[in-house]
């Protein structure tokens, strides 16, 4: 099943009859398409929609986005994860505002040069906004093409990426490039889903290798699992009257440039006494910390790391000397800061704030 005309004909007909009404499908504005594509790399359509609407409402143009502060962008992005993507978007918006007079470049190579824009996003913008003939290959496309054609080259190998890109570009209907790409992604997202695909009603079911051979769960093939790193975070929630303290994560690590409670990290679950001794080391000797309460250990799963974390509530007694790395924050202002998921969850249940 690789004849492009019949493949695209079937696909585009299916798309006409089944596509969801989504706001970014009502525009050819490359800014809106870029925004939606980057957000949808992070989350499903139903969750991504609220983020998209919030961004487009707050920053109606790429120039507005460029003029925002990074803190404000990260706050709107909060909860989506992969915060480097939000920082890259900010950088790209500033590049477009400064070097392209606020207009997205209308060619694939220039799009590809923008920070955070890879093959997939460049092809999506080029095809949807400018109808240029570039196939956008994402996880949905790997799944659909591997199943229909019975391709068992691992999708996480260089060879696999090349093979699927060549095939997708062969199948692409160049005169309807934007619709073709959206149709293939929509088909993978809503019908040829990872679990329980709708094969009975699928227009390709008479041709699909995986369906005919009862091997749907065998595609796509992946080479190997990612090694997971385990980390243990003890967050120190300081109770200082109306105030608490935050620090900004500045290292090249997860959640860069987000705010968090002062933190001690350990290589395994440390006991409370050890953590309290380490906590005291964060603060100069004149400051005394009194334990108020501690939370249970909880877990945050990221793609390459598992973060085990807990919150230790400490009251400041005696002399106060706060290190320069910490930011004194009025408790009622804490929701203005962009914070990682574990802290967002804790703030939602803690009656302190
Ligand atoms: S028949 Fe099933 S596995 Fe094959 S393309 Fe259709 S939905 Fe996907």
């Amino acid at each position: 099943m690789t004849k492009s005309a019949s493949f695209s004909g079937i696909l585009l007909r299916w798309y006409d009859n089944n596509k969801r009404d989504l706001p970014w499908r009502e525009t050819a504005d490359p800014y809106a398409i870029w925004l939606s594509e980057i957000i949808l790399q992070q989350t499903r359509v139903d969750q991504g929609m609220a983020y998209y609407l919030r961004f487009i409402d707050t920053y109606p143009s790429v120039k507005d986005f460029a003029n925002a502060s990074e803190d404000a962008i990260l706050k709107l992005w909060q909860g989506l994860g992969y915060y480097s993507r939000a920082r890259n978007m900010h950088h790209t918006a500033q590049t477009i505002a400064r070097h392209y007079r606020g207009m997205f470049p209308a060619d694939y190579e220039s799009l590809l040069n923008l920070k955070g824009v890879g093959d997939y996003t460049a092809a999506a913008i080029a095809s949807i906004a400018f109808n240029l003939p570039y196939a956008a290959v994402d996880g949905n496309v790997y799944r659909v093409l591997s199943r229909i054609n019975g391709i068992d080259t691992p999708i996480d190998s260089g060879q696999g990426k090349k093979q699927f890109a060549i095939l997708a570009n062969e199948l692409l209907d160049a005169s309807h490039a934007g619709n073709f790409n959206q149709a293939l992604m929509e088909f993978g997202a809503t019908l040829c889903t990872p679990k329980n695909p709708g094969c009975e009603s699928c227009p390709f079911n008479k041709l699909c290798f995986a369906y005919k051979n009862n091997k749907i769960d065998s595609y796509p093939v992946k080479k190997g699992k990612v090694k997971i790193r385990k980390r243990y975070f003890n967050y120190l929630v300081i109770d200082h009257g109306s105030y608490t303290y935050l620090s900004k994560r500045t290292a090249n690590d997860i959640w860069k440039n987000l705010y968090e409670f002062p933190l001690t990290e350990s290589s395994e679950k440390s006991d409370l006494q050890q953590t309290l001794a380490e906590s005291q080391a964060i603060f100069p000797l004149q400051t005394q910390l009194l334990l108020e309460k501690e939370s249970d250990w909880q877990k945050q799963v990221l793609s390459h790391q598992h973060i085990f974390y807990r919150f230790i509530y400490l009251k400041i007694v005696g002399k106060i000397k706060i290190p320069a790395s910490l930011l004194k924050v009025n408790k009622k202002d804490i929701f203005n800061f962009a914070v990682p998921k574990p802290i967002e969850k804790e703030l939602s249940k803690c009656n302190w704030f």
Side-chain angles (χ1 to χ4, degrees), residues 144 147-148 187 191-193 197-199 202-205 208 210-211 216:
V144 173
R147 284 173 172 173
I148 294 180
F187 182 80
L191 190 71
C192 191
T193 47
C199 301
C202 173
F204 293 109
N205 61 12
C208 175
Y211 182 60
I216 289 156

Side-chain angles (χ1 to χ4, degrees), residues 3-23:
K3 282 249 171 70
S4 83
S6 56
F7 180 87
S8 63
I10 295 171
L11 181 68
L12 289 171
R13 254 195 313 282
W14 174 88
Y15 185 58
D16 262 354
N17 295 328
N18 294 282
K19 69 177 172 205
R20 292 167 291 183
D21 286 333
L22 301 171

Side-chain angles (χ1 to χ4, degrees), residues 30 42 74 122 151 160 183 250 276 284 304 344 350:
Q42 299 302 129
L74 290 173
I151 300 172
T250 51
L276 288 175
H304 296 71
E344 186 185 352
C350 173

Side-chain angles (χ1 to χ4, degrees), residues 247-310:
S247 67
K248 191 169 187 175
R249 292 180 70 86
T250 51
N252 272 332
D253 192 0
I254 55 169
W255 303 326
K256 186 177 176 189
N257 289 356
L258 267 64
Y259 292 84
E260 64 186 3
F261 294 116
L263 170 71
T264 69
E265 181 173 353
S266 44
S267 55
E268 53 189 30
K269 286 182 183 173
S270 54
D271 70 28
L272 188 60
Q273 287 316 314
Q274 185 190 338
T275 306
L276 288 175
E278 287 166 5
S279 311
Q280 190 67 63
I282 295 181
F283 295 89
L285 280 178
Q286 297 96 317
T287 305
Q288 278 192 343
L289 302 170
L290 203 65
L291 176 66
E292 286 194 329
K293 60 174 179 170
E294 61 179 308
S295 74
D296 292 331
W297 284 98
Q298 295 156 76
K299 186 177 170 187
Q300 174 77 28
V301 174
L302 306 175
S303 58
H304 296 71
Q305 300 187 26
H306 288 178
I307 309 295
F308 297 85
Y309 63 93
R310 67 174 166 181

Side-chain angles (χ1 to χ4, degrees), residues 79-334:
L80 276 177
Y82 281 103
Y83 290 86
S84 59
R85 292 206 171 137
R87 293 192 299 273
N88 288 341
M89 285 174 90
H90 195 213
H91 186 281
T92 282
Q94 291 178 332
T95 303
I96 290 169
R98 282 176 201 151
H99 302 302
Y100 293 94
R101 291 182 297 137
M103 313 273 279
F104 267 75
D107 67 284
Y108 179 80
E109 294 304 330
S110 303
L111 288 166
L112 203 52
N113 279 334
L114 298 170
K115 202 165 181 183
V117 173
D119 294 337
Y120 164 79
T121 312
I125 300 170
S127 62
I128 301 168
F130 305 114
N131 208 28
L132 295 172
Y134 292 91
V137 185
D138 72 347
N140 290 311
V141 175
Y142 285 131
R143 187 170 57 257
V144 173
L145 295 187
S146 66
R147 284 173 172 173
I148 294 180
N149 295 285
I151 300 172
D152 53 15
T153 314
I155 60 169
D156 52 349
S157 65
Q159 194 198 345
K161 286 187 190 351
K162 211 165 154 189
Q163 185 177 355
F164 282 97
I166 290 171
L167 176 57
N169 277 293
E170 280 173 4
L171 294 172
L172 180 79
D173 178 345
S175 54
H176 302 95
N179 264 357
F180 176 92
N181 281 333
Q182 292 188 88
L184 195 46
M185 290 186 266
E186 184 82 342
F187 182 80
T190 62
L191 190 71
C192 191
T193 47
K195 300 244 180 293
N196 305 318
C199 301
E200 296 300 322
S201 61
C202 173
F204 293 109
N205 61 12
K206 292 201 172 48
L207 312 155
C208 175
F209 178 90
Y211 182 60
K212 288 196 297 184
N213 292 281
N214 203 17
K215 285 177 122 185
I216 289 156
D217 292 338
S218 307
Y219 296 97
V221 173
K222 276 194 186 165
K223 216 170 36 171
K225 290 204 155 97
V226 186
K227 197 171 178 320
I228 300 291
R229 177 183 172 201
K230 289 183 182 171
R231 302 173 74 178
Y232 300 86
F233 287 4
N234 298 281
Y235 287 116
L236 310 175
V237 189
I238 307 293
D239 179 6
H240 185 193
S242 308
Y243 295 92
T244 189
Y245 295 87
L246 294 178
S247 67
K248 191 169 187 175
R249 292 180 70 86
T250 51
N252 272 332
D253 192 0
I254 55 169
W255 303 326
K256 186 177 176 189
N257 289 356
L258 267 64
Y259 292 84
E260 64 186 3
F261 294 116
L263 170 71
T264 69
E265 181 173 353
S266 44
S267 55
E268 53 189 30
K269 286 182 183 173
S270 54
D271 70 28
L272 188 60
Q273 287 316 314
Q274 185 190 338
T275 306
L276 288 175
E278 287 166 5
S279 311
Q280 190 67 63
I282 295 181
F283 295 89
L285 280 178
Q286 297 96 317
T287 305
Q288 278 192 343
L289 302 170
L290 203 65
L291 176 66
E292 286 194 329
K293 60 174 179 170
E294 61 179 308
S295 74
D296 292 331
W297 284 98
Q298 295 156 76
K299 186 177 170 187
Q300 174 77 28
V301 174
L302 306 175
S303 58
H304 296 71
Q305 300 187 26
H306 288 178
I307 309 295
F308 297 85
Y309 63 93
R310 67 174 166 181
F311 293 89
I312 298 172
Y313 285 74
L314 299 164
K315 196 175 184 67
I316 287 185
V317 290
K319 275 192 160 182
I320 301 159
K321 193 153 194 294
I322 299 301
S325 60
L326 295 187
L327 196 64
K328 188 174 183 181
V329 173
N330 195 311
K331 288 175 184 169
K332 66 179 168 43
D333 294 332
I334 200 157

Side-chain angles (χ1 to χ4, degrees), residues 25-87:
R25 293 210 173 124
E26 289 158 16
T27 174
D29 176 3
Y31 168 63
I33 291 157
W34 167 73
L35 204 51
S36 66
E37 287 298 337
I38 307 266
I39 288 173
L40 292 179
Q41 284 165 31
Q42 299 302 129
T43 187
R44 296 195 315 270
V45 163
D46 49 349
Q47 286 163 344
M49 177 82 84
Y51 281 92
Y52 171 82
L53 294 173
R54 229 177 290 148
F55 267 102
I56 211 87
D57 194 41
T58 313
Y59 309 119
S61 73
V62 71
K63 281 186 183 166
D64 298 320
F65 197 109
N67 290 334
S69 71
E70 185 183 271
D71 277 354
I73 303 270
L74 290 173
K75 184 64 193 167
L76 269 194
W77 188 264
Q78 183 175 300
L80 276 177
Y82 281 103
Y83 290 86
S84 59
R85 292 206 171 137
R87 293 192 299 273

